Amino acid sequence: APAMPKARRARGSGPAPALPLAEQILQDAAPRARARGKRGGPGGAEEQDGDGGGDGFVDARLSRRILEQARRQQEELEAEHGPGAPAAPRQRCAPAPLPTGPGSDSEDDEEWPSLEKAAAVAGRSGDYGGEVEVDPEDEKAIEMFMNKNPPLRRTLADIIMEKITEKQTEVETALSELSGCPMPQLDPRVLEVYRGVREVLSKYRSGKLPKAFKIIPALSNWEQILYITEPETWTAAAMYQATRIFSSNLKERMAQRFYNLVLLPRIRDDIAEYKRLNFHLYMALKKALFKPAAWFKGILIPLCESGTCTLREAIIIGSILTKCSIPVLHS
């Protein structure tokens, strides 16, 4: 007796006979299991479905896009870590993940040698805020938009001292109420520890940061502790490492305050003093984009509202926008 037609045909057995329409509908609706064996092995090591087996290839258009993205990623890695850096997939402009526990050390703290190489490469290629040519005509044009009577620029030290002055008379009457003391007196041992951290950060070049500094983002009075370390005395390398830690571990609003009160004044002072931006401060600006909303609200918008933005500052900080990937909603 002739054999009944099979729903599936064996490989190389010739054309399969047509199936009834009902069976075809059921067969199309059923999920198909795809083999996960090696593709394209000798002798056909993988069983393929009857859909042509062409889904293992990527079309030319998608291939071009993948290669273009890979090339851009490699260029950014070389700019940040020097030539020959491994092309490991990572989020653009996002700092490396940091340990959340107070007792763990970050291996990424020792980034100084690679940053040194990247600084040399970027300096030769003009890839960061180095020597910026300023056109006098453009400088006059941007001055037309600036405020003739700019408001005073406030830093973290100004705000902390303002709070202390305002609450000086209230502290004595509110000592009995914990909720009524906004600026609690710090333990002398805590003061001693963070004064030691201040000394380390004022001379920091490379290596691991003190653990006491890494836990600052987890403290409720982090601004007060940060004030003790005197951010205006930090080295550029310490500011870069601090930006990595704070942008990763602070919430949006807290990060915005750090950017506005600590990072932005330091960047503007550096540009005004040296007519260029230190490479580590430039990298800190890029790392700060890990939180785009805080970056715009804490750096870009206050800079524009200050009424004193110079053309050199606009060129250097604007270059961050052209080199980093920013979410559409923020931009």
Side-chain angles (χ1 to χ4, degrees):
M4 296 296 291
K6 296 181 180 179
R8 289 183 179 270
R9 62 189 179 88
R11 197 176 184 86
S13 59
L19 296 175
L21 180 59
E23 291 189 22
Q24 290 183 24
I25 293 174
L26 292 174
Q27 192 178 62
D28 291 340
R32 297 182 180 181
R34 295 188 176 183
R36 295 178 179 263
K38 296 181 181 179
R39 291 183 178 272
E46 179 189 7
E47 290 286 339
Q48 295 185 346
D49 295 331
D51 54 359
D55 56 353
F57 300 95
V58 180
D59 61 358
R61 184 177 179 184
L62 185 56
S63 297
R64 282 197 304 271
R65 293 179 61 186
I66 293 173
L67 291 174
E68 183 181 355
Q69 292 297 327
R71 180 179 55 80
R72 289 181 182 176
Q73 187 181 52
Q74 182 64 29
E75 288 175 357
E76 182 170 343
L77 285 173
E78 289 184 359
E80 184 171 346
H81 299 288
R90 57 184 296 179
Q91 185 177 355
R92 300 185 66 192
C93 303
L98 295 173
T100 56
S104 58
D105 287 329
S106 172
E107 296 179 357
D108 294 335
D109 284 341
E110 303 196 21
E111 289 192 46
W112 178 262
S114 58
L115 282 178
E116 281 274 308
K117 295 176 185 176
V121 174
R124 288 194 297 269
S125 61
D127 197 30
Y128 75 103
E131 297 294 340
V132 178
E133 297 293 335
V134 176
D135 188 354
E137 299 280 338
D138 293 341
E139 199 163 17
K140 290 179 182 178
I142 199 171
E143 284 177 1
M144 295 173 60
F145 295 93
M146 296 297 104
N147 189 356
K148 302 300 180 184
N149 299 312
L152 292 175
R153 197 172 74 194
R154 294 174 14 133
T155 63
L156 180 66
D158 298 332
I159 290 180
I160 295 294
M161 292 305 298
E162 198 175 279
K163 285 183 179 180
I164 292 175
T165 304
E166 287 177 358
K167 302 298 180 181
Q168 192 71 36
T169 56
E170 298 180 16
V171 170
E172 295 178 359
T173 58
L175 279 177
S176 58
E177 299 180 21
L178 293 177
S179 60
C181 187
M183 294 292 292
Q185 298 298 318
L186 292 175
D187 190 293
R189 292 172 296 179
V190 175
L191 287 173
E192 184 180 356
V193 166
Y194 282 99
R195 282 171 184 157
V197 170
R198 176 187 62 191
E199 296 300 319
V200 172
L201 296 181
S202 65
K203 301 174 183 177
Y204 177 83
R205 289 293 180 270
S206 63
K208 296 185 181 297
L209 292 171
K211 293 181 181 179
F213 183 76
K214 293 181 182 181
I215 67 170
I216 290 180
L219 303 176
S220 59
N221 59 336
W222 66 273
E223 287 185 351
Q224 186 182 8
I225 298 295
L226 203 62
Y227 169 66
I228 297 172
T229 65
E230 296 183 10
E232 60 272 11
T233 66
W234 296 352
T235 64
M239 182 65 74
Y240 168 71
Q241 297 290 352
T243 303
R244 288 177 58 244
I245 293 173
F246 281 83
S247 63
S248 298
N249 296 287
L250 285 179
K251 294 181 180 178
E252 290 282 351
R253 291 187 179 181
M254 294 179 176
Q256 176 184 333
R257 289 182 65 81
F258 174 78
Y259 295 167
N260 184 237
L261 301 176
V262 177
L263 184 59
L264 179 61
R266 176 62 179 273
I267 287 169
R268 298 195 69 182
D269 289 344
D270 197 79
I271 295 175
E273 178 73 20
Y274 302 105
K275 310 302 180 187
R276 56 183 294 174
L277 184 60
N278 183 281
F279 177 74
H280 294 276
L281 296 179
Y282 188 81
M283 295 304 297
L285 267 179
K286 292 183 71 175
K287 290 294 183 184
L289 260 177
F290 182 74
K291 284 188 165 57
W295 196 90
F296 276 90
K297 295 176 184 177
I299 294 177
L300 189 63
I301 295 176
L303 179 66
C304 298
E305 288 180 341
S306 67
T308 57
C309 177
T310 64
L311 180 61
R312 186 174 276 106
E313 289 172 342
I315 293 173
I316 293 174
I317 296 180
S319 67
I320 299 289
L321 300 174
T322 64
K323 294 176 182 176
C324 291
S325 177
I326 302 171
V328 173
L329 291 178
H330 296 290
S331 59

